[in-house]
Every structure is written in C-alpha cells, then in structure tokens.
C-alpha cells in the first residue's frame, strides 16, 4: 500500500506487525525494563480511540486558530499564507519520516497549514464570490461525518480489492494533475484550470473528476480510521495517538482543498 496515507503506512505500529515494530524502536535497556515488567503496558499508557479523538481535537483546534490568522492577514500580509504553506509541506515530510511522533512538530504543522488554509480560503472567497468557503467547509464536514458514522457502524471497511482500485486511481490522478499543471505552466492551454476547464455535455471536467476525487478522499479516511483501529488493537504506546491525529488531518485538508476547487470550477 505504497500510496496509503504515509503518516500510517510508514509506521509499523499501525500494521499487523505492530508489536514487533514497537519492540524494534526500543533500546536494549528499554527492552530489558519491559521484560522486567508485566507482559503488557498498563491501560493508561496504550493508545485508545478516545485519546486519539482528544489529540485530533487539539490539532484541529490549532488548525482553526491558524486559519483565522491566515484569513485576517490575507490582504495586509499577502504572502504569509504562501510561506506558511511551504513550511507546512516541510513539516509534513518531517512528521512522515520521523519514526516516533512529536506532538510539538504535529501541532506546528497544524498551525502552519491552518494559516495556509485561511489564506487560500480568503483568496477563493474574494475571487469566486461569497459563501464558497462556507459551502466547502460544510461539504467537508458532511463527508467526514458520514464516513466516520458508516465506519463506526461497520457498514464500510477497507478491503484489499477496494484498496487496489484506490491505489490505481491515486496514481492516475497524480499523473493527470502533473500533466495538467505542465500544460498550464507552459501555456499549452489558456484556461487557468487546464484540462479541468473543458466541458463534457456542459459539465466542466474538473467537476466530474473532483467528485471522483472526493470519493477517493472518503475512502482514504476509511483507511486512516482502519489504521488507528489497528494501532489500538496492537496496544501501541499512547504517543501514537498523535500519529493518528496527524494522519487524519492530512486527509481532511486534502479533501477540503479538492471540494473548494470543485466549487470554484463550477462557479467560474
């Protein structure tokens, strides 16, 4: 699953070999101390769904504070949100490649991405009419809420076949996005949306593709929830709840930006 959310797929604490992975991260002294203690970690020291939710709420709270800053400074400090986006991208890579979660770096990522989202949202609001951001936020909350409810009820689950289709679709979308960006950058297409601006039976291609991408984003959330559930089953240390919060945030941000772009193309 090379294209699963890398926040989870690179961390073996969320895999079927999670117990082995946790042991590999420990030093010889830590392993000895573990062997001298009871067979399992105390309940208060292991990852739980409730603790992961609390950590997710904290990261999204920081995200909202950053978004308010980005929104309010989009005109007075126009390049702040662009710089924050670059910082957020670097912090995302750092958090992905760290073997153990760092709450400070994850919260810093949430703050930087919040400023970026606030700035780009304000830009969309100014460029494509009032209300577009509210619509995107509501649509994102609906997708996340419905996906979480269906997953919690057991009506949808990640499967090998669906995940293979998801990975193929992700590769195709990545290639399409890169080609489309190149066509716009080199002036091969005048439309600022590139190929996304072409219409099929009066419907912009970007809207059609965007709907499919939102479905992909919803399935990515299913994979994220499944990874967190696996971490809880593995009795991973409590600190990995921060990894769960970070992984879900990455997917939700992607989902929100895709929905925002769909609405912008539809209004353009």
């Amino acid at each position: 699953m090379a294209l699963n959310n890398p926040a989870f797929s690179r961390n073996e604490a969320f895999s079927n070999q999670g117990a082995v992975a946790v042991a590999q991260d420990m030093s010889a002294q830590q392993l000895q101390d573990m062997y001298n203690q009871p067979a399992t970690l105390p309940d208060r020291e292991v990852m739980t769904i409730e603790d992961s939710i609390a950590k997710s709420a904290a990261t999204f709270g920081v995200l909202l504070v950053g978004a308010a800053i980005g929104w309010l400074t989009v005109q007075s400090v126009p390049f702040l949100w662009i710089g924050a986006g670059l910082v957020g991208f670097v912090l995302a890579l750092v958090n992905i490649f760290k073997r153990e979660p760092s709450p400070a770096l994850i919260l810093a990522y949430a703050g930087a991405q919040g400023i970026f989202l606030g700035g780009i949202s304000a830009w969309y609001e100014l460029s494509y009419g009032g209300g577009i951001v509210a619509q995107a936020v509501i649509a994102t909350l609906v997708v996340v809420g419905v996906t979480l409810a269906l997953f919690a009820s057991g009506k949808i689950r990640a499967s090998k076949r669906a995940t293979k289709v998801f990975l193929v679709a992700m590769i195709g979308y990545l290639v399409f996005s890169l080609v489309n960006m190149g066509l716009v950058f080199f002036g091969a297409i005048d439309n600022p949306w590139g190929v996304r601006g072409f219409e099929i039976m009066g419907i912009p291609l970007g809207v059609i593709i965007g709907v499919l991408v939102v479905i992909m984003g919803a399935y990515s959330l299913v994979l994220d929830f499944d990874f967190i559930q696996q971490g809880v089953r593995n009795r991973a240390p409590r600190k990995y709840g921060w990894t769960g919060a970070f992984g879900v945030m990455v997917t939700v941000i992607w989902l929100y930006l895709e929905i925002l772009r769909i609405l912008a193309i539809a209004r353009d």
Side-chain angles (χ1 to χ4, degrees), residues 26-249:
M26 296 182 178
S27 66
Q29 183 59 46
Q30 288 174 318
L31 285 173
Q32 185 61 46
D33 292 341
M34 182 185 71
Y35 289 135
N36 292 335
Q37 300 210 359
T40 59
L41 290 170
D43 288 342
R44 67 179 181 277
E45 296 181 12
V46 299
M47 181 178 174
T48 64
I49 296 295
E50 293 77 10
D51 186 61
S52 298
I53 292 174
K55 288 178 169 61
S56 297
T59 56
F60 277 98
V62 173
L63 179 81
L64 291 176
V65 172
I69 295 173
W71 181 279
L72 295 174
T73 60
V74 67
Q75 292 183 326
S76 59
V77 191
F79 296 106
L80 176 63
W81 64 274
I82 298 177
L86 295 175
V87 172
F89 176 72
V90 172
L91 287 173
L93 294 178
V94 171
N95 282 305
I96 287 170
F97 286 99
K98 278 183 63 67
R99 292 188 63 83
E100 294 190 0
S102 169
L105 289 177
I106 291 172
L107 291 174
Y109 165 79
Q113 284 296 85
I115 294 174
F116 167 72
L117 290 181
I120 197 171
S121 296
W123 180 82
Y124 270 99
E125 189 83 2
L126 292 171
S127 301
Y128 295 97
I132 188 172
V133 172
Q135 291 175 353
V137 170
I138 292 172
T140 303
L141 292 176
V142 169
V143 172
V144 174
V146 170
T147 304
L148 179 58
L150 292 175
F151 182 84
S153 66
K155 294 183 178 180
I156 56 172
R157 282 290 184 269
S159 67
K160 291 184 178 180
R161 177 176 296 181
T163 301
K164 288 180 180 178
V165 174
F166 169 76
L167 296 181
V168 171
M170 279 294 294
I171 293 173
Y173 180 63
L174 177 61
V175 172
F176 165 79
S177 297
L178 292 175
V179 171
N180 188 56
M181 187 183 302
L183 292 173
V184 175
F185 182 79
F186 292 106
I189 298 179
D190 293 333
N191 192 306
W193 298 111
V195 178
R196 298 176 193 268
F198 294 173
E199 293 187 359
I200 299 178
M201 298 179 65
I203 303 175
L205 182 60
V207 173
I208 299 172
I209 294 176
V211 171
L212 297 177
V213 173
V214 169
I215 295 173
M216 289 163 53
Y219 187 74
S220 182
L221 279 174
V222 172
L223 292 176
D224 294 344
F225 298 150
D226 187 67
F227 274 121
I228 292 174
Q229 196 174 66
Q230 185 65 48
V232 173
R233 284 196 296 263
N234 288 343
R235 292 183 64 81
R238 189 175 180 179
K239 61 186 177 182
Y240 286 104
W242 287 107
T243 303
F246 170 68
V248 171
M249 174 168 284

